Structure formats: C-alpha cells, structure tokens
Amino acid sequence: PAGPEPRRPGAVPLRRTFGAFAPDLRPFRAPIALLVVLGALSPALETAAVWLFKLLVDRVLVPRDLSPLGVLGLLLAGVTLADGAVAFADRVLSTSVSERFLLAVRTRVFRHLLGLSLDAPGQRRLGDVLSRLTGDTASIESFLVSGVVVAFGDLLRVAFFAGALFVLDWRLTVAALVA
C-alpha cells in the first residue's frame, strides 16, 4: 500500500497558506462574500443577455414581427445596464479589498522588520527587501483574494453558459462539447 504522496520541495499546502494569512483576511470576510455574490450575478446577467438576444432573433428578426421588439429591447437594455452596474460595483469593491489587504500584509511585514535586531536588515540587500515587500505581497493578494473570486466567477460563467446551451439545444451542445 502506497503512503501519502510525497510533497515537492517548496510546495506549501493550501490550508497552511490560507491559514497564514487568515488574520489579514478576517476583516474582509463580508466584502469578499459580497464579491462572490457579485461574481455570481455577472455571469447570470450575461447569460440572461444572451438569452434575450436569442429571443430577439427568434421572435423579431426571423418572423419579421416588430411587436415584441420594444419589450425585448427594454429588457435587454435593463439587463445590460444591470450587468454594467454589477461590474462597476465589483471592480470598485475588489480594488478596495485588494488594496486594504495589501496594506494589512505590508504593515505586518514592516512590523516584523522593525521587531528584528538592528543588524538584521543589514544582512540583506535593500533591493531584495523592497522586492519582497512589493512583489511578493502583490502575488499573495492576487492568489488569496482576486484569484479566488475571479476563478469562482469564471467557473459560474462556464456553468451558466453550458446550462443555457443545454436548454437551447442539447444536441448542439453535445456536438460542441465533443468537438
């Protein structure tokens, strides 16, 4: 019987990574939850816009009947405006959370540096410390905050679009997935 798979050198388990930054993430639980909701709304609204465009083609363009055009056009405009508002709110909130998280992590790093002995900073080159402070903390933010929310939104986008494709025409969807 094989034991657990050996870890690659330098690999850190996700649980440990998230745990190390949990104190910095804790104040942002509610905004991150709102980002997840906004991330779910955006693909839903995009799918609704595609569905309304399908209805516009099927009920207005193909039969050449302009009577449903006003209602469908207003619905499509409303969904497009709502999607724009959700995207704007998502961008503003995401930027706010990301920047405040970066500030918290960088403050913690500075606090750690200030707690070191006086000769400790002299053992490293200044450029290395500054590079770690800016580049590494930005990578941490990108992975822990932005990346998770974006990945979740992209997974939902695929799920919503695949669901809409199956509802439209399951045979065409199967053919597209096989191709």
Side-chain angles (χ1 to χ4, degrees):
E5 184 177 317
R7 276 191 336 150
R8 294 182 317 273
V12 178
L14 281 177
R15 175 179 227 118
R16 185 170 162 206
T17 302
F18 278 96
F21 295 99
D24 301 310
L25 286 169
R26 194 166 291 119
F28 306 109
R29 284 185 295 198
I32 289 173
L34 182 57
L35 281 171
V36 168
V37 169
L38 291 172
L41 276 176
S42 184
L45 289 168
E46 290 170 9
T47 306
V50 170
W51 187 266
L52 286 169
F53 188 74
K54 175 236 187 267
L55 291 177
L56 191 70
V57 169
D58 289 350
R59 294 186 182 172
V60 175
L61 297 179
V62 172
R64 297 182 182 171
D65 178 16
L66 295 179
S67 60
L69 179 62
V71 173
L72 290 174
L74 285 174
L75 284 172
L76 187 57
V79 166
T80 303
L81 287 172
D83 190 31
V86 166
F88 176 76
D90 179 64
R91 192 165 294 125
V92 168
L93 184 60
S94 175
T95 301
S96 171
V97 168
S98 296
E99 293 302 319
R100 291 184 314 169
F101 175 75
L102 276 173
L103 180 64
V105 171
R106 287 178 179 157
T107 300
R108 185 160 55 130
V109 170
F110 270 126
R111 190 174 293 122
H112 173 74
L113 285 173
L114 291 173
L116 295 175
S117 66
L118 291 177
D119 64 337
Q123 296 172 357
R124 299 237 191 270
R125 293 185 315 202
L126 179 62
D128 184 42
V129 173
L130 290 177
S131 173
R132 293 257 182 219
L133 186 61
T134 57
D136 291 358
T137 54
S139 296
I140 291 165
E141 181 280 326
S142 177
F143 176 71
L144 293 177
V145 180
S146 304
V148 171
V149 173
V150 168
F152 177 72
D154 288 344
L155 285 173
L156 282 178
R157 189 168 281 108
V158 168
F160 280 127
F161 284 3
L165 279 174
F166 271 107
V167 170
L168 288 173
D169 188 349
W170 69 270
R171 294 172 302 240
L172 183 60
T173 303
V174 170
L177 290 175
V178 167

